[in-house]
């Protein structure tokens, strides 16, 4: 009985502290930057999460009619492509020294692309301010 009382006391104590800890967390950081980091396609990406840096867009032909766009967002925002939330195939948190999430790397796919140059213009809309930030990339699709 004594052991059960101690456990019950500890559970009540922990539950009473959760709202105080959440209240001290503070608001999410506002959107401060958004950029396309690179691009890939399923066969390359599935071989160890590999991608080309955005600077290679004019030099590398994408050998698939599905492309992966790799983005980096700092601050809290929602990712959009063609006015809707894209099909995100991978997401990795960006954390600061205090282990707080301050942004994300997100990889989204676009399928059924036509042969030739395709223009991609994703954007993110800030959740706690920061407005809308766009970036773009032009890729040569050669399946």
């Amino acid at each position: 009985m004594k052991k059960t009382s101690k456990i019950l006391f500890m559970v009540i104590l922990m539950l009473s502290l959760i709202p105080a800890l959440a209240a001290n967390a503070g608001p999410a950081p506002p959107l401060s930057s958004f950029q396309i980091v690179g691009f890939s396609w399923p066969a390359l990406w599935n071989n160890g999460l590999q991608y080309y840096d955005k600077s290679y867009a004019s030099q590398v032909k994408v050998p698939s009619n599905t492309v992966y766009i790799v983005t980096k967002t700092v601050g809290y925002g929602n990712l959009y492509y063609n006015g809707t939330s894209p099909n995100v195939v991978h997401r990795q948190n960006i954390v600061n020294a205090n282990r707080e999430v301050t942004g994300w790397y997100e990889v989204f796919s676009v399928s059924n692309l036509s042969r030739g140059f395709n223009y991609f213009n994703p954007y993110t809309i800030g959740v706690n301010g920061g407005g809308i930030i766009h970036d773009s990339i032009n890729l040569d699709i050669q399946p």
Side-chain angles (χ1 to χ4, degrees), residues 26-142:
L31 178 66
S32 60
S33 72
F34 171 76
Q35 66 187 45
I36 295 173
V37 176
F39 63 98
S40 191
W41 50 89
L44 180 63
W45 182 258
N46 293 332
N47 187 22
L49 308 181
Q50 296 181 47
Y51 66 91
Y52 281 96
D53 185 83
K54 181 182 177 182
S55 64
Y56 289 93
S58 64
Q59 301 165 26
V60 176
K61 293 178 184 349
V62 177
S64 171
N65 67 350
T66 297
V67 69
Y68 291 169
I69 306 294
V70 184
T71 65
K72 178 183 178 183
T73 304
V74 177
Y76 282 76
N78 294 316
L79 178 64
Y80 291 95
Y81 175 72
N82 283 344
T84 62
S85 294
N87 177 31
V88 175
V89 297
H90 183 79
R91 184 176 186 170
Q92 180 179 333
N93 293 342
I94 299 170
V95 295
N96 65 14
N98 296 324
R99 302 179 97 181
E100 300 164 326
V101 176
T102 58
W104 298 273
Y105 287 99
E106 291 178 292
V107 181
F108 70 92
S109 68
V110 182
S111 300
N112 301 316
L113 297 169
S114 58
R115 180 182 285 267
F117 284 95
N118 286 255
Y119 179 74
F120 304 91
N121 187 20
Y123 58 97
T124 191
I125 299 175
V127 174
N128 292 330
I132 301 172
I133 304 175
H134 293 259
D135 198 3
S136 62
I137 190 170
N138 199 18
L139 296 173
D140 190 3
I141 308 299
Q142 297 297 323

